[in-house]
Amino acid sequence: MRILLAIDDTDNAHSRGTGELAALIADAVLTNRWGKPGFVTRHQLLVHPDIPYTSHNSAMCFPAEIPEGSLDQVVRFACDFLERECAEGSDPGLCVAVPDRIGSTADLIAFGRQAKLQVLDKEQALNLARRLGIHLSEHGGTGHGIIGALAGVGLRLWGNDGRMRGSLAGVLPGQRLRVRELLDQPDVDAVQTADGSAPDEEESVLIGDKPKTVMRDGLSVLLVCAAVDDGGTPAWHTLPRKLLRDY
């Protein structure tokens, strides 16, 4: 079965980031043979004076395919891990959802989208999680991280928000690869421009610094833009990092 696991507000200004902790939980799922995790996505939430956050107020989420019997082990491990590894002064939250067990996902997706625009509170998060049968737990401090954790799951489930944490594996900056070669990468479902058009599979793409995919229509999409190569020839480049910040 497929699960979505998200965490939020686990760090302080001097500790490991929430993205690194999410990646370590995903690694443990694989190492302990509880299932096969997907890549971690970063989801930007509302930045507002009434919302405490360390740097950017972003939640981290990853999917995993696991046997049904592994669910309790994954949840228990994640809870213990956060209790042990979260930074002093943080307000960690954990959310683990099984989308196929949620009768209607519309409210969960709506919560995630609201968290990008509005200040939400813990009671809203807890009430929604109870109603939908989703694991949502606090692991220190005020526990306000449960709001972002639940929102992170909703946004990943929506499939139109967030960007890959880290860089795309299997490619290197400076490489020039055909679109079809990029589509062979395990974490690339599509290669598109910002307006949604797709280059021909035989066209080449110059790989820039730290290429990463974004979520679009439930797909992991590598974004490219038109540019000119060193010889003055029109070419495709992976989207620059400064433009990826919009995702």
Side-chain angles (χ1 to χ4, degrees), residues 2-173:
R2 180 172 180 260
I3 67 168
L4 292 171
L5 187 152
I7 60 174
D8 188 34
D9 205 347
T10 67
D11 56 357
N12 62 32
H14 309 290
S15 70
R16 293 181 294 182
T18 299
E20 184 175 349
L21 296 189
L24 289 171
I25 296 172
D27 288 344
V29 171
L30 184 63
T31 301
N32 289 294
R33 299 182 179 179
W34 294 325
K36 182 179 180 181
F39 62 83
V40 177
T41 43
R42 175 189 181 276
H43 299 275
Q44 180 62 53
L45 307 177
L46 178 67
V47 175
H48 188 279
D50 291 338
I51 302 174
Y53 58 89
T54 304
S55 56
H56 302 293
N57 192 30
S58 55
M60 301 288 170
C61 183
F62 69 87
E65 292 290 337
I66 67 171
E68 190 161 343
S70 295
L71 180 60
D72 288 344
Q73 292 171 296
V74 171
V75 172
R76 187 161 53 248
F77 172 84
C79 290
D80 292 343
F81 179 86
L82 293 181
E83 298 279 352
R84 185 175 67 250
E85 300 293 339
C86 286
E88 182 179 354
S90 62
D91 305 309
L94 168 70
C95 181
V96 183
V98 182
D100 286 346
R101 293 183 181 177
I102 301 172
S104 172
T105 59
D107 288 346
L108 178 55
I109 293 170
F111 183 89
R113 298 181 70 179
Q114 283 178 323
K116 296 177 73 67
L117 303 171
Q118 302 173 22
V119 178
L120 304 176
D121 61 45
K122 283 172 53 176
E123 283 307 308
Q124 289 172 280
L126 290 167
N127 289 339
L128 180 60
R130 278 193 289 264
R131 181 159 61 82
L132 297 180
I134 293 171
H135 174 91
L136 189 64
S137 53
E138 305 176 20
H139 296 281
T142 67
H144 272 92
I146 62 172
I147 301 168
L150 186 63
V153 166
L155 290 167
R156 184 71 184 249
L157 185 59
W158 180 36
N160 285 293
D161 185 85
R163 67 176 186 256
M164 173 187 283
R165 176 192 175 269
S167 300
L168 185 65
V171 301
L172 296 172

Side-chain angles (χ1 to χ4, degrees), residues 39 41 159-160 162-164 168 182-183 187-199 211-224 238-239 244 247:
F39 62 83
T41 43
N160 285 293
R163 67 176 186 256
M164 173 187 283
L168 185 65
L182 290 168
L183 292 172
D187 291 328
V188 178
D189 298 321
V191 177
Q192 296 177 358
T193 63
D195 66 8
S197 59
K212 57 184 68 188
T213 62
V214 302
M215 298 303 298
R216 279 186 164 185
D217 295 324
L219 301 177
S220 177
V221 178
L222 183 66
L223 292 177
V224 297
T238 54
L239 206 66
L244 277 171
Y247 298 86

